[in-house]
């Protein structure tokens, strides 16, 4: 079982970026960013890559899956 | 690169015959996004847009359904006559409002979450819509007593159109509820204070 969490809010805060701005950059609505930040939504690979590119990180640095050993 | 050149490039990519289905879908999404960005009309939120269309479809659906069933009420002025005679009034006014709205506002983009919510809303809306119609039917047979209401000729095409519009409106309302929940839960989560 893997627990899904994101560092989206933290990365966004570090760049002083609003949810709306991030949404605009990756071509989604603010509601999608809200759900992503809360870890309630698994993004498509394309969206994950787009978001990672905005922050200049890898996908694994933004979206984290904690696996129970 | 200007927006026009970008769109031309994306359109060329989209029409490329060697693309796989997934690649074509991605190319189409990119093209739609670019078109949306280039559109000079005012933006409107997807929720407001869906709400507007749901209200339109609800009004039209109810009118078409009533006129399609052709319920006669044994009153001095028949309800059916009023509906039949004046059905063009809401239909025509709504058509004008739709044209005005579409001229002034650009159609909002759907993203992957809204598509997912719409898929959920389609199922729920279809079930709820049919349930409402069944309840209305049961209520009609329970309370009409065949003395006050008489079913006259049934116009199938109006009935079908009405049913279609009514169920679509319910789907729209369910979508708004699903979508609204997301915004409420993260309304005060923005890290940056509004200027």
């Amino acid at each position: 079982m893997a627990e899904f969490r994101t560092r989206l809010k933290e990365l966004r805060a570090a760049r002083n970026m609003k949810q709306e701005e991030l949404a605009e950059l990756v071509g989604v609505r603010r509601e999608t960013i809200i759900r992503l930040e809360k870890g309630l939504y698994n993004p498509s690979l394309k969206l994950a890559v787009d978001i990672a590119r905005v922050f200049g990180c890898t996908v694994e640095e933004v979206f984290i899956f904690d696996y129970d050993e | 690169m200007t927006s026009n050149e970008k769109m031309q490039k994306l359109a060329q990519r989209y029409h490329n015959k060697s693309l796989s289905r997934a690649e074509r879908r991605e190319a189409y999404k990119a093209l739609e996004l670019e078109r949306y960005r280039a559109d000079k009309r005012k933006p409107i939120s997807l929720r407001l847009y869906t709400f507007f269309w749901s209200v339109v479809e609800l009004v039209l659906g109810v009118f078409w359904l009533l006129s399609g069933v052709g319920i006669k009420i044994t009153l001095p002025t028949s309800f059916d006559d009023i509906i039949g005679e004046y059905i063009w009034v809401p239909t025509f006014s709504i058509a004008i409002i739709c044209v005005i709205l579409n001229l002034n506002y650009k159609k909002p983009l759907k993203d992957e979450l809204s598509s997912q919510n719409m898929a959920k809303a389609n199922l729920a809306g279809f079930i709820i819509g049919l349930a409402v119609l069944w309840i209305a039917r049961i209520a009609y047979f329970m309370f009409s007593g065949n003395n006050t209401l008489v079913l006259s000729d049934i116009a199938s095409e109006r009935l079908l159109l009405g049913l279609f519009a009514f169920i679509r409106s319910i789907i729209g309302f369910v979508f708004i509820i699903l979508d609204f929940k997301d915004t409420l839960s993260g309304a005060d989560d923005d890290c940056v204070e509004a200027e």
Side-chain angles (χ1 to χ4, degrees):
Chain A
M1 199 51 190
E3 196 191 320
F4 173 66
R5 62 190 172 88
T6 70
R7 287 181 56 226
L8 212 58
K9 198 171 174 180
E10 179 193 326
L11 291 165
R12 194 167 55 77
R15 280 158 185 79
N16 215 20
M17 189 187 275
K18 286 183 183 176
Q19 289 172 335
E20 191 72 53
E21 290 166 349
L22 177 61
E24 170 78 29
L25 283 171
V26 293
V28 295
R29 298 177 317 133
R30 186 178 164 222
E31 286 79 2
T32 309
I33 302 296
I34 291 171
R35 279 196 79 106
L36 277 171
E37 285 187 357
K38 288 185 172 291
L40 297 172
Y41 176 61
N42 280 352
S44 66
L45 185 58
K46 166 83 168 50
L47 181 57
V49 171
D50 284 350
I51 290 172
R53 279 180 64 181
V54 167
F55 294 121
C57 318
T58 61
V59 175
E60 291 91 336
E61 282 171 321
V62 185
F63 301 99
I64 301 150
F65 283 93
D66 292 326
Y67 286 94
D68 294 335
E69 292 306 323
Chain B
M1 194 186 287
T2 65
S3 182
N4 253 348
E5 287 167 344
K6 225 178 194 176
M7 272 196 281
Q8 273 177 2
K9 208 175 165 186
L10 286 167
Q12 273 172 4
R13 179 167 161 70
Y14 175 69
H15 291 295
N16 188 348
K17 294 259 189 288
S18 63
L19 286 186
S20 69
R21 189 183 285 185
E23 285 171 327
R24 195 179 300 278
R25 199 170 47 225
E26 283 309 319
Y28 182 71
K29 276 185 196 168
L31 183 60
E32 270 211 319
L33 184 63
E34 202 47 51
R35 273 190 194 144
Y36 182 80
R37 281 174 177 158
D39 200 331
K40 294 277 183 276
R41 287 177 295 174
K42 279 181 268 181
I44 182 171
S45 77
L46 182 62
R47 202 177 303 144
L48 192 63
Y49 185 84
T50 313
F51 177 75
F52 173 77
W53 277 107
S54 300
V55 171
V56 165
E57 279 163 347
L58 185 66
V59 172
L60 278 183
V62 169
F63 260 85
W64 283 104
L65 267 178
L66 288 176
S67 77
V69 174
I71 296 170
K72 298 268 186 198
I73 300 178
T74 49
L75 289 171
T77 320
S78 161
F79 185 56
D80 183 51
D81 290 343
I82 299 171
I83 292 272
E85 210 166 313
Y86 295 106
I87 193 161
W88 60 271
V89 177
T91 310
F92 191 67
S93 355
I94 283 168
I96 290 179
I97 296 168
C98 288
V99 170
I100 293 169
L101 184 94
N102 278 314
L103 286 177
N104 289 311
Y105 294 95
K106 53 185 174 184
K107 194 181 169 194
L109 269 186
K110 282 182 185 161
D111 63 3
E112 51 185 69
L113 178 64
S114 62
S115 305
Q116 205 182 72
N117 279 346
M118 192 46 100
K120 283 184 200 167
N122 267 303
L123 181 66
F126 189 71
I127 293 167
I128 295 169
L130 285 184
V132 168
L133 288 171
W134 270 98
I135 290 166
R137 192 168 179 257
I138 290 166
Y140 164 73
F141 283 116
M142 276 176 74
F143 300 113
S144 69
N146 283 343
N147 291 326
T148 49
L149 296 167
V150 178
L151 274 179
S152 65
D153 57 325
I154 290 176
S156 323
E157 76 288 346
R158 284 188 189 180
L159 205 62
L160 274 174
L161 274 173
L163 189 69
F164 181 71
F166 180 73
I167 288 178
R168 268 187 60 90
S169 78
I170 301 288
I171 290 171
F173 287 123
V174 173
F175 171 77
I176 292 165
I177 293 166
L178 289 173
D179 200 56
F180 198 57
K181 207 174 64 185
D182 298 336
T183 318
L184 274 185
S185 64
D188 50 358
D189 255 10
D190 230 331
C191 308
V192 183
E193 292 295 320
E195 284 134 36

